[in-house]
């Protein structure tokens, strides 16, 4: 019995068991979505028009098995979402046709197309109407309708009376500053597009935060709009009130996005966008993207100790040879600090200072992770730009970037070290 047949049999075993809803038990249900106009249509079905999967264990197994079938059949490679795969193939239960042949017939009916998904990014402004980079286009908010109309066929342009048109027009007139990101995604269904976008747009947001490199209470780059708020504090003793304070929390400093800086080769930003639009990335590129993502997360983290720890995660994602090895031992710290010193330092004195700074940083990081607190406040911006400098040095030096893996970079650095 093949793995596919075995998985299908296990799914059918759960579906065909006599199940009914019991209180205090998890359950899920789905219904036949075909055309039912008469009792005759119902009689053609092998099962009732609704199916219940009852019980915690049954639901857990059922979902695991469906994901397993999704993976065995390489459905994701066909650009079809798990949700759409599940929703369509579940219909085969009702006609007693849930088998490999029929499932493949359904999969073969899907057709790939290029979807465009539009979302707002708050906290950024643009003077240019649009900036295009591969599958990403950034559009000024008052230009989005013209952009969409240009993308569509002439007969499909937005009608000024349509809800989408009115909504976009009203958004463009709002006081809150934002730009649109338009992402092109090849897919077979809208669920796949949504899943792909949600995963990718968070990476874009953290990349923009990394590039901006500004950690300030009133600067905010995100896909969700920040709502201004007021926080108040009152202090008192047993003798009476000692004082109170009120703070207005705003995110009202917008960052201009259409500057050359964001797409410059000199600072590595162009190279980052080039990696992001790739369908396949090599091992070094994956490390770089993960490191950037951690730095972007640290920008928005309110707790300074946590933010500094995320910088450490960024450096480890980039430079730790064995990514599975844990904890971070002194030998790993030594290996990483030496690599940073030779990547960033021009001479012996610079390298010695870099190694000292990095070891001080890791001493602080260890006190947070293992002790829960530190005697000193971490110098966030110093650590952030230390990590960013390592990334830039790798991104702008093709001798490093062309290596394709961290191991090959280490070999190059060893040649320098021992020459």
């Amino acid at each position: 019995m093949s793995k596919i047949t075995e998985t299908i049999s296990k799914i059918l075993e759960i579906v065909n068991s006599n199940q009914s809803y019991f209180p205090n038990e998890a359950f899920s249900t789905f219904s036949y979505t075909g055309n039912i106009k008469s009792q005759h249509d119902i009689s053609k079905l092998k099962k009732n028009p609704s199916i219940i999967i009852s019980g915690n264990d049954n639901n857990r197994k059922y979902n695991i098995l469906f994901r397993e079938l999704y993976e065995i059949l390489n459905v994701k490679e066909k650009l079809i979402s798990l949700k759409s795969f599940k929703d369509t193939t579940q219909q085969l239960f009702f006609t007693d046709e849930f088998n490999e042949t029929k499932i493949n017939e359904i999969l073969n009916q899907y057709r790939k197309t290029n979807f465009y998904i539009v979302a707002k990014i708050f906290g950024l402004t643009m003077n240019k109407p649009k900036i295009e980079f591969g599958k990403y286009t950034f559009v000024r908010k008052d230009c989005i309708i013209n952009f969409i109309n240009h993308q569509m066929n002439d007969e499909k342009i937005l009608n000024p009376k349509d809800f989408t048109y009115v909504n976009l027009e009203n958004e463009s007139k709002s006081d809150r500053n934002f730009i649109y990101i338009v992402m092109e995604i090849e897919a077979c269904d809208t669920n796949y597009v949504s899943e792909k976008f949600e995963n990718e747009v968070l990476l874009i947001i953290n990349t923009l935060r990394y590039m901006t490199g500004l950690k300030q209470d009133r600067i905010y780059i995100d896909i969700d709009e920040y709502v201004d708020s007021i926080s108040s504090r009152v202090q008192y003793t047993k003798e009476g009130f000692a004082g109170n304070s009120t703070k207005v929390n705003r995110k009202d400093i917008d960052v201009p996005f259409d500057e050359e800086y964001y797409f410059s080769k000199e600072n590595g930003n162009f190279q980052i966008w080039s990696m992001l639009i790739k369908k396949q990335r090599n091992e070094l590129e994956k490390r770089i993207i993960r490191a950037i993502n951690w730095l972007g997360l640290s920008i928005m983290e309110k707790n300074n100790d946590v933010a500094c720890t995320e910088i450490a995660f960024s450096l480890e994602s980039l430079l730790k040879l064995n990514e599975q090895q844990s904890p971070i031992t002194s030998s790993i710290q030594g290996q990483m600090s030496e690599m940073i010193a030779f990547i960033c330092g021009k001479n012996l004195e610079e390298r010695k200072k870099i190694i000292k700074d990095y070891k001080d940083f890791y001493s602080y990081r260890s006190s947070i992770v293992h002790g829960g607190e530190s005697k000193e406040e971490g110098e966030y911006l110093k650590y952030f730009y230390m990590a960013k400098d390592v990334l830039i040095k790798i991104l702008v030096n093709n001798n490093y970037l062309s290596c394709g893996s961290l191991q090959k970079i280490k070999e190059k650095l060893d040649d320098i070290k021992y020459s």
Side-chain angles (χ1 to χ4, degrees), residues 68-110:
E68 189 177 290
L69 185 61
Y70 178 79
E71 292 170 355
I72 297 169
L73 292 170
N74 294 318
V75 181
K76 190 173 184 179
E77 302 301 314
K78 303 177 192 292
L79 309 184
I80 301 168
S81 68
L82 174 60
K83 184 180 186 310
S84 293
F85 170 71
K86 191 175 178 182
D87 287 347
T88 53
T89 56
Q90 280 180 151
Q91 293 298 302
L92 296 173
F93 296 138
F94 298 101
T95 54
D96 200 21
E97 295 177 298
F98 190 77
N99 56 59
E100 185 177 354
T101 301
K102 279 293 183 179
I103 290 171
N104 281 321
E105 281 182 19
I106 287 177
L107 294 177
N108 290 332
Q109 290 172 9
Y110 279 93

Side-chain angles (χ1 to χ4, degrees), residues 54-66:
S54 181
N56 300 339
D57 196 44
N58 275 336
N59 273 280
R60 182 183 62 81
K61 287 179 181 176
Y62 182 78
N63 290 325
I64 290 173
L65 287 167
F66 243 105

Side-chain angles (χ1 to χ4, degrees), residues 232-245:
S232 60
R233 305 286 186 272
V234 175
Q235 298 180 26
Y236 67 93
T237 68
K238 290 183 178 181
E239 282 71 38
F241 287 103
N244 60 70
S245 63

Side-chain angles (χ1 to χ4, degrees), residues 28-40:
S28 59
T29 182
F30 52 92
S31 301
Y32 180 64
T33 59
N35 196 11
I36 297 180
K37 293 183 177 180
S38 66
Q39 185 63 38
H40 176 68

